Structure formats: C-alpha cells, structure tokens
Amino acid sequence: MLELAILGLLGEQELHGYEIRKRLRDELGFFSPVSFGSLYPALSRLERSGALESAEEPLSAGPAVPMTGSLSGERAALRSRRQAGGRGRRGRKVYRITEEGRRQFAELLDGERDQGADDARSFGLRLAFARYLPPQARLRLLERRRAQLLQRLDDVRHASSTGRGQLDPYARSVVEHAAESTERDISWIDRLIAAERAPGATVPGARPAESPDDLEGSLVQREGSS
Amino acid sequence: MLELAILGLLGEQELHGYEIRKRLRDELGFFSPVSFGSLYPALSRLERSGALESAEEPLSAGPAVPMTGSLSGERAALRSRRQAGGRGRRGRKVYRITEEGRRQFAELLDGERDQGADDARSFGLRLAFARYLPPQARLRLLERRRAQLLQRLDDVRHASSTGRGQLDPYARSVVEHAAESTERDISWIDRLIAAERAPGATVPGARPAESPDDLEGSLVQREGSS
DNA sequence: GTCATCATGTAAGCCGTTACATGATTGC
DNA sequence: GCAATCATGTAACGGCTTACATGATGAC
C-alpha cells in the first residue's frame, strides 16, 4: 500500500523522501500521514527490488518547492548553494522510478489476486490512481469493491437482526450508521461504474473510448512530456 | 481494542473463546472478524492481567447455545455428556470477567488519555458500549470524535485545493466522497450529541436521569462514586 | 544561542494476520 | 471412513508506529 502510493507519486516526478511524505499527506491526504519510520525503509526496499534508483543530490535548486521537474540542477547546485533561494541543507536522496518500478506499480494497482486488497483505504488509493489502469481493469476494481460492500452490508444487516433480544440504542445507532454509510458507498461506486460505461464521461476527463493508449505500455511514462 | 470488545462481551455473560469469536463477528459485526491467532493470545493476556478467570469446563449443557448464564453445569456435565443436546466436544475454557476486568473495561472504554483511540473502528466499538459510560464521559467521547472528524474534513478540503493544478477526476472523486462521508459522520455525531443533551431521549432507551443503576456494580461501577 | 524546519535513518514494539498443529464429535 | 464443525492453541511474519540518533541551515 505504501509502496503503491510511493510509486504512484514517483511516476509523475522524482522526489526525495521528505518531500514524498509531504505529498502523501497533502495530496493523498485521505489516508493518514505516513511516518518516516515506515517511509524510509519502504524506499530502501523499493530500491533494493529495483523499482527505484536514487541519486545523492547533495544540494538542490528549488527554493521552497524542491523539485520542479527539471533537474538541470546538478550544475547549478553548488552555485545556488548559499545563494538566494538555494536551500541546500543536507544531501537529499532523490528517487526516480525505473521501468521495473512501473511494472510493479501496475501490478500493485490492479491487484487482481491480492486478497485483502479491497479495504477502504487500499481501494481509495487505487481509485485515486485509476487513470493509469486500463478501462477493463478499472471496471473490475470498481466491481470488486462493489461486491465487497454488498457483502458488508449483508453482514451488518444480519448482525442487527441476529442479536439476542435487540441491541441497545447506542449499538443500534452504530450499526445503522454503518449500514447507511455502506449504502452510500455503494451508490457512489454505482455512479462511477455508470460513468465508466457511458461513452460520455460523467467522470470528466475519463477518456471515453479512443486513445486508451496514452498510458499504454508503461503507465504514465509520458504524462510528463507532451 | 480487541481487549475492550472481549471485556464488553464478557461483562454480560461468560463465554468460551470460540463463542466469543462468533459473537464478535455476528453482533459487533461492524468490525472485521477476529482470528483465533489474535483472540486466544488476547484471552491469555487478559487472564494473566487478572481481568478474567477461566474455568475448564470439560463439557457443557446447552445444546447449541453454549451458556445460558447458569453454570450449575459442573454436576450435570458428565451426565449430559452423550445425551440429548449435550455437545461435550472438547474441554472448553469458559471465561468470566473479574472486578479487575470491569475496572480495565471502564478504563479502556473511556480512553480519555488514549491518544490514537479515536479512529473509526475504535470509536464505533466504544460507542456501541456507550451505555456503560457515565453521561459526561459519553459526551466527551462524542465531542472528541467530532473534533477529530472536523480536523479530517479540514485536511481533506485542504488536500483538494493544495494539489498542483488540479487533481485528476478519479482522485477528485475519492477526495470528494471522503469529504461527504466525513460530513455525514459529523452530522450523525451531532444528532447523537443533541440526543444526549436533550432530557427527552432521541436515542431511545438512553435513560434521562433516573435509574442509572440497572447496570450498576457490573461494568463501570459508576465511575468511582461521586 | 537556540528554536524550527529540513533531512535521513535505525530499533523496538504493537497489534494483528496466516499458517500450522492437534484433536474430539457428529452426520453422511 | 470422511468431511464439517467445534475447540484451543503456537509460530512466523507483516506492516506500521513511536522513539531514538544525527546533523545541517535559517530565522529570530
């Protein structure tokens, strides 16, 4: 899960650890802030597995915004060091995704055979990166989630009827609220599925039919150029 | 968290491990099924800490419903063994809560100083047992949760505006849905708070003022007298 | 000079999971 | 005889957290 988020972020631009954490918090903020204690080991693992390459960039260019994509920095680095906006600080380790990393990302993203891969958090994260998924995989993701929510709704309903006597008011309120939330989640998914199937695109920007190949082959991977 | 659920269940009647798991699944079904690998160790821990006592009840009485409260079983046990409903099976270990256990339950339930104690799961569980909480503690629980949800809403809102350019449609949908869900959670909490404050009782059964003693002695033991 | 922020990492621990090991009883 | 259900437990591992260790730089 953390791996997926990291690879997704790094698919768009190279970043160093500290910055990755900020993005995770600020942009993918819908899941709780990651601690360094899990982030750095995750980066090491990914590097060892060949998904990432790191460049020890001792000092960088960007003033507050660390990277702006262009890393012509190397030359300008020393120059900008003690200058205007140059915030050299300590030698950052800038990570860049590899082809292998893109492969792993794709695999994690459509974790078809990943059993526990459909809890709310994991699903939210996947969906947030759904643009990198081919349309059919996207649909499968949504439908898997839908089935799971239906199951859950069933369990909850069963729970409230099963109880000896009836539940006390507080417990009942919890169960009812859980059921309602689940229902709303389901109809959200239903809307997404409908949008996915419609040629129009209620989820705007989700390309209708043509050019499913702008993410072909390698996810993203050009998403930068243009 | 598991401890809390176990103690809560055992506060009402004594049960053996296997049965506890079923109840957890069926009654408190709104949180995912507990595995034996975590249940049994938890029971051992609780027993070691003095929260529970266990009786090796080799064979029991109840046919399908294992315990009906009375454990006059001991004598009847051998007799009922290979009889009518007697499903002796293997020697069950029946757990009973102790005074110390009730103390621990009360402490866990209103985990005032328990920092991470307010995530959705934990909150749901606490609220489900809220009837054992004195009214003011109940209110504090709700208000803590409310503050947390407000915070989260803020983070999510901030996340969606912060993103460079704007989020892609899928990510945006995730963020928006998260925000809506959070809003609904907040208004649910608000209703509960209102009900709590009203003398009437919109949460029916939540006794206004009198007879807080029908659960006295057991659980909570009225929050250290007054 | 000291505090906040940036930056990277390690170590210990928590809380849970899956998989394994064992075995009795009932129903087919 | 075999499978399902009941029943208890251990071992290994996973993924994340907190706390610790280190240190540079810029702002006040």
Side-chain angles (χ1 to χ4, degrees):
Chain A
M1 257 220 48
L2 219 199
E3 258 92 348
L4 176 60
I6 292 172
L7 292 172
L9 234 44
L10 257 27
E12 283 154 28
Q13 66 193 293
E14 29 191 78
L15 295 167
H16 60 273
Y18 199 87
E19 181 67 15
I20 289 172
R21 187 187 179 235
K22 272 212 303 221
R23 304 273 174 119
L24 250 27
R25 172 163 43 75
D26 297 341
E27 282 168 62
L28 273 8
F30 47 87
F31 75 103
S32 62
V34 188
S35 67
F36 291 118
S38 66
L39 177 62
Y40 287 117
L43 287 169
S44 309
R45 275 197 311 275
L46 286 168
E47 196 177 3
R48 272 202 308 280
S49 81
L52 301 180
E53 291 167 346
S54 67
E56 274 280 357
E57 177 228 324
L59 302 166
S60 93
V65 180
M67 313 256 76
T68 332
S70 72
L71 68 156
S72 56
E74 245 154 310
R75 284 175 310 156
L78 290 168
R79 193 160 46 75
S80 70
R81 178 175 195 166
R82 313 194 137 256
Q83 240 175 265
R87 297 206 170 188
R89 300 195 185 290
R90 143 124 91 144
R92 296 162 173 170
K93 235 170 134 177
V94 176
Y95 289 95
R96 183 197 321 243
I97 196 167
T98 64
E99 274 315 302
E100 167 60 16
R102 292 184 194 280
R103 227 215 64 245
Q104 286 186 29
F105 175 71
E107 205 178 295
L108 286 171
L109 189 53
D110 136 319
E112 202 78 61
R113 54 171 189 273
D114 218 345
Q115 72 295 22
D118 288 313
D119 58 298
R121 291 273 275 276
S122 164
F123 171 75
L125 187 58
R126 274 158 219 271
L127 188 56
F129 286 122
R131 85 197 113 153
Y132 300 129
L133 230 31
Q136 340 81 272
R138 213 143 59 201
L139 253 178
R140 280 198 304 273
L141 173 66
L142 290 167
E143 258 147 19
R144 245 154 44 217
R145 178 64 180 161
R146 187 177 195 280
Q148 200 196 253
L149 288 170
L150 242 35
Q151 175 65 57
R152 184 183 150 75
L153 188 56
D154 225 69
D155 291 348
V156 168
R157 290 263 151 84
H158 182 259
S160 58
S161 61
T162 275
R164 255 137 308 284
Q166 58 270 38
L167 295 172
D168 88 287
Y170 292 106
R172 191 164 56 245
S173 183
V174 172
V175 171
E176 274 165 19
H177 180 69
E180 277 165 35
S181 297
T182 305
E183 276 166 13
R184 273 192 276 262
D185 285 351
I186 292 170
S187 58
W188 172 52
I189 301 291
D190 283 342
R191 285 195 303 277
L192 289 171
I193 289 176
E196 211 55 51
R197 287 198 169 125
T202 305
V203 175
R207 269 56 156 267
E210 39 157 31
S211 70
D213 42 32
D214 60 359
L215 34 82
E216 197 275 268
S218 72
L219 290 172
V220 183
Q221 181 172 259
R222 58 221 310 241
E223 167 82 19
S225 67
S226 105
Chain B
M1 255 217 52
L2 218 199
E3 258 93 347
L4 176 60
I6 293 172
L7 291 173
L9 234 44
L10 257 28
E12 282 154 27
Q13 67 192 291
E14 29 191 78
L15 295 167
H16 59 273
Y18 199 90
E19 181 68 15
I20 288 172
R21 186 187 180 236
K22 273 212 304 221
R23 304 275 174 118
L24 250 27
R25 172 163 44 74
D26 297 342
E27 281 169 63
L28 274 5
F30 47 87
F31 77 103
S32 63
V34 187
S35 65
F36 290 118
S38 66
L39 178 62
Y40 287 117
L43 287 169
S44 309
R45 276 197 307 276
L46 286 168
E47 196 178 2
R48 272 201 309 280
S49 80
L52 301 181
E53 293 169 343
S54 67
E56 274 281 356
E57 177 226 325
L59 303 164
S60 94
V65 180
M67 310 260 74
T68 332
S70 72
L71 69 156
S72 56
E74 245 154 308
R75 285 174 309 156
L78 290 167
R79 193 161 45 75
S80 68
R81 178 174 196 164
R82 313 193 137 258
Q83 242 174 262
R87 295 207 170 190
R89 300 196 184 289
R90 139 123 92 144
R92 297 163 172 171
K93 234 168 134 177
V94 176
Y95 289 95
R96 183 200 321 242
I97 196 167
T98 63
E99 274 314 301
E100 167 60 17
R102 293 185 194 280
R103 227 216 64 245
Q104 287 186 29
F105 175 72
E107 204 178 297
L108 286 171
L109 190 53
D110 136 321
E112 202 78 61
R113 56 172 188 271
D114 218 344
Q115 72 296 25
D118 288 312
D119 58 299
R121 292 271 276 275
S122 165
F123 171 74
L125 186 59
R126 274 159 218 273
L127 187 56
F129 286 122
R131 86 199 109 152
Y132 297 127
L133 231 31
Q136 341 82 272
R138 212 143 60 201
L139 251 179
R140 282 197 303 271
L141 173 67
L142 290 168
E143 258 145 20
R144 245 155 44 217
R145 178 64 180 161
R146 187 176 194 280
Q148 200 195 252
L149 288 170
L150 241 35
Q151 175 64 56
R152 185 183 150 76
L153 188 56
D154 224 70
D155 291 348
V156 168
R157 290 263 151 84
H158 181 259
S160 57
S161 60
T162 275
R164 255 138 306 285
Q166 57 272 38
L167 295 172
D168 89 288
Y170 292 106
R172 190 165 56 245
S173 183
V174 172
V175 171
E176 274 165 17
H177 181 68
E180 277 165 36
S181 296
T182 306
E183 276 166 13
R184 272 192 280 262
D185 285 352
I186 291 170
S187 60
W188 172 52
I189 301 291
D190 283 342
R191 285 195 302 276
L192 289 171
I193 289 176
E196 210 56 50
R197 287 199 169 125
T202 305
V203 175
R207 266 54 156 267
E210 41 158 28
S211 69
D213 42 32
D214 61 349
L215 35 82
E216 105 57 14
S218 69
L219 294 168
V220 173
Q221 72 203 354
R222 61 182 21 174
E223 167 94 11
S225 72
S226 76

